[in-house]
Amino acid sequence: MAQEQNNFRDSIGTINEEGKRAWVFPKKPKGRFYKYRKYVSYFLLTFLLLAPFLKINGNQFLMFNVLERRFNIFGFPFWPQDFYLFVISMIIGVVFIALFTVAFGRIFCGWLCPQTIFMEMVFRRIEYWIDGDRGAQIRLDKQEWNAEKIRKRVLKWFIFFIISFIIANVFLAYLIGSDRLIKYIADGPMQHLSTMVSLLIFTGVFYFVFAWFREQVCIIACPYGRMQGVLLDNKSIVVAYDHKRGEAEKGRKKFRKGEDRAAIGHGDCIDCFQCVNVCPTGIDIRNGTQLECINCTACIDACDEIMEKVDLPKGLIRYASEDNIEKKAKFKFTPRLKGYTAVLIILTGILIGMLFLRNDLEANILRLPGQLYEHKEGNIISNVYTFKVVNKTTRDIPDVTFKLLSHKGTISLVRNDNFTVPAQELTEGTLFIEINNAALDGDKNTVKIGVFSGEEQIETTSARFMAPRSYR
Ligand code: SF4
Ligand code: SF4
């Protein structure tokens, strides 16, 4: 018996005894939490689909252009030069999720993760609509390939493909920017064949994930899911079965009308398996917290409905910590949580500080590799440089010039001495700095250079200036 009860430890619910995929046919959830999750998912789906098409000050609201290393977060553009800010934002995101996991388990997976939202709130609902609920789905799966099955399967797979194609387009809008995506669509696929191929590959990946791979993403592939073992402890609030109440002294038992279960020592669990049937990852939450559980709350709703029917108090499965179930302990702000919160506050402070210190324009001036100085007439030393000026704003910066701040001398550009840096663009070129050797201090000097737009100084940068050693 004990061996049987522990079998769940040896395999995952989605693999059968022969080691093949055991397809999960979860019962359609209904209840209080499912209703709230639907509201949250409507909001998130709208956000997810619109975010790359919304603009703030001309900047795409969210963009993750990894190819060009340009990112917009909440309308705030990050350039390759701002990569440290992006990294800090990502670290804050990870600490934030870790903090929430320590306190509230996989709340992110059940309520916010795009995989769960698309799987449970889009694809699964289409499946219920076409194939019917759990029983009908199992019947359809076992039935011969007749006209009904072909019709239902073709319709479902076609709709899944269309939705995967839409998701792939939105994904591309996040990657290359919505303006470029719209332009490519207007130009036609033949003009941008490589992008079209990428789009079809993304579509194929999304289709594979949502039509076939499904809960395996959360169980096998997702690194966040695998971290639960180190993040959760007895104080973490997770979707949990109250085994004290459910099992009592003599364990769970089928329901019999009029029976006084408490008097005969049986727990409140009537072993109806509704919590198992409704689970999208195919587990039995009564075996305790498991890696496969995505905290989707479907078993809470299913059990509450049963408890209501058999006239027992709801909450046999509920949000609770192990300590809450075992010792009736209330939620506590533990030292571990305090530590995570402190790190989170410090990192957020650093990020805000860096955002305020960040310039709208960034200039880099570097000596041309492999070039020495040139000694010119009148004891003038000349060094040649390449420069890069990045305009991070959405307006053009006109009449840009360089002036030496630390030394007397001249800066001349190979082309025009003043230029315009277009909005969100990078301008690069070559320039010469010439300084009288008498004003230099040895062979290695650092010169300070001001970047001006008209008369206004908008950035300061510096560069190395080489001079002859013998003239020191
Ligand atoms: S055990 Fe419950 S909360 Fe966890 S995945 Fe299954 S149904 Fe969702
Ligand atoms: S739904 Fe509730 S009563 Fe039914 S098996 Fe699950 S825990 Fe027991």
Side-chain angles (χ1 to χ4, degrees):
M1 177 72 174
Q3 170 73 37
E4 231 170 68
Q5 280 177 353
N6 279 316
N7 276 352
F8 75 95
R9 294 186 201 281
D10 305 329
S11 64
I12 53 174
T14 50
I15 294 180
N16 66 20
E17 281 168 7
E18 287 120 46
K20 293 197 178 122
R21 171 86 177 268
W23 198 264
V24 183
F25 297 98
K27 193 171 169 336
K28 189 175 178 185
K30 61 173 188 287
R32 187 167 52 117
F33 282 105
Y34 189 59
K35 188 175 78 186
Y36 296 145
R37 279 179 60 220
K38 271 203 270 188
Y39 295 151
V40 173
S41 71
Y42 294 150
F43 171 76
L44 288 178
L45 281 170
T46 313
F47 179 81
L48 216 72
L49 298 178
L50 290 185
F53 299 95
L54 295 177
K55 292 205 170 157
I56 290 185
N57 294 331
N59 292 320
Q60 188 169 318
F61 190 64
L62 280 181
M63 183 174 79
F64 304 95
N65 190 339
V66 271
L67 302 175
E68 290 168 15
R69 289 185 294 148
R70 284 174 59 181
F71 304 89
N72 285 4
I73 296 178
F74 302 126
F76 204 90
F78 290 83
W79 282 74
Q81 289 80 355
D82 298 320
F83 200 68
Y84 63 100
L85 290 175
F86 184 73
V87 171
I88 290 179
S89 314
M90 290 295 115
I91 294 172
I92 290 176
V94 170
V95 176
F96 190 73
I97 290 177
L99 175 70
F100 263 83
T101 311
V102 171
F104 302 109
R106 289 176 84 167
I107 200 159
F108 170 81
C109 303
W111 291 79
L112 305 173
C113 175
Q115 161 71 19
T116 310
I117 302 247
F118 277 115
M119 187 65 243
E120 302 306 322
M121 296 296 170
V122 179
F123 288 88
R124 192 88 74 189
R125 288 175 72 186
I126 291 166
E127 202 158 66
Y128 290 132
W129 172 60
I130 295 172
D131 292 352
D133 208 344
R134 176 181 156 83
Q137 285 184 19
I138 296 173
R139 266 195 306 281
L140 190 71
D141 187 58
K142 286 191 181 144
Q143 125 186 358
E144 292 287 307
W145 278 94
N146 58 11
E148 185 208 6
K149 187 163 174 172
I150 294 172
R151 182 174 49 80
K152 285 188 171 173
R153 285 286 188 264
V154 170
L155 177 65
K156 186 171 82 173
W157 291 338
F158 175 71
I159 296 176
F160 279 7
F161 180 82
I162 296 295
I163 296 175
S164 301
F165 185 70
I166 294 169
I167 299 173
N169 272 275
V170 176
F171 183 64
L172 206 61
Y174 277 105
L175 270 189
I176 62 169
S178 54
D179 288 346
R180 205 186 292 183
L181 176 74
I182 292 166
K183 184 185 174 301
Y184 285 6
I185 293 171
D187 291 350
M190 296 319 283
Q191 300 287 319
H192 306 279
L193 217 51
S194 60
T195 309
M196 188 62 197
V197 170
S198 314
L199 189 66
L200 290 175
I201 292 172
F202 290 147
T203 306
V205 171
F206 287 123
Y207 183 85
F208 168 76
V209 165
F210 294 116
W212 192 80
F213 203 50
R214 303 190 151 198
E215 71 288 338
Q216 307 291 313
V217 172
C218 315
I219 298 174
I220 304 169
C222 176
Y224 175 63
R226 318 289 304 180
M227 277 163 54
Q228 303 310 305
V230 284
L231 291 173
L232 299 183
D233 62 17
N234 286 355
K235 292 171 186 67
S236 307
I237 294 175
V238 292
V239 173
Y241 166 67
D242 187 340
H243 56 92
K244 287 271 209 193
R245 189 186 136 195
E247 306 294 315
E249 281 165 36
K250 292 192 180 160
R252 59 189 82 143
K253 181 178 173 285
K254 292 274 178 225
F255 179 70
R256 271 215 205 116
K257 219 171 175 191
E259 176 183 64
D260 186 353
R261 298 173 72 88
I264 52 175
H266 284 292
D268 282 355
C269 174
I270 64 164
D271 214 10
C272 64
F273 274 86
Q274 289 310 302
C275 53
V276 182
N277 292 343
V278 85
C279 178
T281 60
I283 59 165
D284 187 343
I285 188 70
R286 295 173 300 169
N287 291 327
T289 303
Q290 292 148 75
L291 180 138
E292 295 94 321
C293 176
I294 54 164
N295 276 222
C296 73
T297 69
C299 54
I300 300 185
D301 281 334
C303 190
D304 277 353
E305 193 187 347
I306 295 296
M307 290 293 108
E308 211 166 45
K309 281 186 185 153
V310 298
D311 212 14
L312 286 167
K314 288 183 189 177
L316 179 56
I317 302 175
R318 63 177 185 273
Y319 275 119
S321 67
E322 182 60 24
D323 281 1
N324 175 263
I325 290 169
E326 284 284 345
K327 307 174 201 159
K328 302 267 172 266
K330 291 243 168 348
F331 175 72
K332 265 197 214 137
F333 200 53
T334 58
R336 194 175 174 200
L337 275 180
K338 284 178 192 162
Y340 277 118
T341 311
V343 172
L344 193 65
I345 291 170
I346 292 168
L347 284 174
T348 312
I350 292 174
L351 181 69
I352 292 172
M354 284 176 159
L355 286 175
F356 273 110
L357 291 174
R358 177 181 175 270
N359 279 346
D360 284 348
L361 181 134
E362 191 153 323
N364 281 307
I365 300 178
L366 294 170
R367 290 188 71 252
L368 205 63
Q371 292 286 321
L372 262 179
Y373 59 86
E374 194 185 337
H375 200 167
K376 293 171 114 179
E377 230 176 79
N379 207 17
I380 299 291
I381 307 296
S382 170
N383 279 213
V384 61
Y385 299 82
T386 57
F387 70 87
K388 281 185 185 167
V389 182
V390 178
N391 179 357
K392 298 174 186 171
T393 68
T394 50
R395 62 189 157 78
D396 294 353
I397 299 182
D399 196 18
V400 176
T401 49
F402 297 108
K403 284 178 193 161
L404 268 175
L405 302 178
S406 56
H407 295 73
K408 258 191 160 183
T410 58
I411 297 182
S412 47
L413 271 61
V414 170
R415 278 181 282 162
N416 303 338
D417 271 350
N418 51 354
F419 55 93
T420 296
V421 190
Q424 308 242 356
E425 292 284 338
L426 176 142
T427 301
E428 45 191 338
T430 310
L431 59 82
F432 291 93
I433 301 180
E434 293 183 347
I435 302 174
N436 192 307
N437 197 31
L440 294 168
D441 185 21
D443 56 343
K444 287 177 190 153
N445 300 268
T446 301
V447 289
K448 231 169 142 191
I449 301 156
V451 185
F452 290 73
S453 172
E455 290 305 308
E456 189 195 350
Q457 186 178 342
I458 48 176
E459 164 75 319
T460 310
T461 186
S462 60
R464 300 282 278 169
F465 190 91
M466 306 299 283
R469 195 184 287 253
S470 55
Y471 281 84
R472 254 196 245 183

